[in-house]
Amino acid sequence: MTLEGCDREELREILDLAAAYEAGRMDGALSGKTVCLAFFEASTRTAVSFELAARRCRADVISLSERGSSISKGESLVDTVVTLDRLGADAIVLRHPAAGAARLAARFTTAAVVNAGDGCGQHPTQALLDLYSLSRALGGFEELAGVRAAVVGDILHSRVARSVIPAFRAARVELALVAPRTLLPIETGVWGLPVLSSVDEALEWGASVLYMLRLQRERMTGARVPSVAEYARYYAVERRHLEAGVRVMHPGPVNRGVEIAGDVVLDGASLIPEQVAAGVAVRSAVLALATGVAQEVAA
């Protein structure tokens, strides 16, 4: 449901399993298992990579969306989950617009519930694939310790940030937050992280990784930023920032010219394509752990 409380060795176990997938050791790992993909909010990368992960591990896959389910007729999330449970789902991968939806669903099923993003709550598998991508770029999991990364942008509305922060800290990455005060959540004080005022200041702090977040205007109530242009002036990565040798990350989808200049998105300094590619391996590992077949894979 969440990566809060996850320790370094647990992270290493998941990333090692992801590497096992890439080495071809998870072929047929989910054979005989039924995985239901219940996506009640728009998704491209997460939905496709979970489906590829389940199918390539030979699971039976059921895809469900709000439009194609009885939720569009008024059925509650709980009733939908109970139905999937009684139909024999071994794992339910849930994307939902309400924070806490995955935790609620888990109370009404014996199936493993995998949180694929819940409103402004959490997005655990995104943080895991981010760590996997970064560790590979740096030469291994141990190389994450001591790296300085700045989480930049709309932290207030970001479920990704709420998973990236505990995951990266558990991996011993040093973090700073970069955002206007209007886009910082109440958790900021609890996290105890330095708060910086611009990408330029993040580079002065010593950031070698810029983790950019999407400006989520669809979740905003009221004017959180003066204008998109003013926001981009301080909180967007431009080509000149790459001179510092930084790596750029983003969970997608990218608002080009808002969070990242268009000519930076696919630059060699960008790990965004690697993040997308890592989704299948990492989500295969998560499904193996969730359904209890991880030990067989490791053996």
Side-chain angles (χ1 to χ4, degrees), residues 264 266-271:
V264 173
L266 298 179
D267 185 87
S270 170
L271 292 182

Side-chain angles (χ1 to χ4, degrees), residues 81-101:
V81 168
V82 169
T83 297
L84 297 174
D85 178 79
R86 297 300 184 268
L87 290 174
D90 295 293
I92 300 172
V93 180
L94 181 64
R95 164 70 68 92
H96 199 277

Side-chain angles (χ1 to χ4, degrees), residues 42-66:
S43 171
T44 299
R45 296 155 192 77
T46 304
V48 171
S49 60
F50 262 117
E51 181 163 358
L52 284 172
R55 291 190 185 281
R56 289 180 181 176
C57 292
R58 303 294 185 268
D60 295 319
V61 179
I62 301 168
S63 294
L64 194 65
S65 65
E66 181 172 357

Side-chain angles (χ1 to χ4, degrees), residues 51-135:
E51 181 163 358
L52 284 172
R55 291 190 185 281
R56 289 180 181 176
C57 292
R58 303 294 185 268
D60 295 319
V61 179
I62 301 168
S63 294
L64 194 65
S65 65
E66 181 172 357
R67 177 173 291 184
S69 73
S70 291
I71 283 185
S72 63
K73 301 177 182 178
E75 182 175 75
S76 71
L77 173 63
V78 168
D79 288 339
T80 299
V81 168
V82 169
T83 297
L84 297 174
D85 178 79
R86 297 300 184 268
L87 290 174
D90 295 293
I92 300 172
V93 180
L94 181 64
R95 164 70 68 92
H96 199 277
R103 190 178 299 278
L104 173 65
R107 293 171 49 195
F108 295 93
T109 178
T110 57
V113 176
V114 178
N115 186 355
D118 60 339
C120 292
Q122 294 273 338
H123 197 353
T125 60
Q126 179 66 50
L128 292 171
L129 69 86
D130 294 333
L131 278 179
Y132 187 73
S133 304
L134 185 57
S135 66

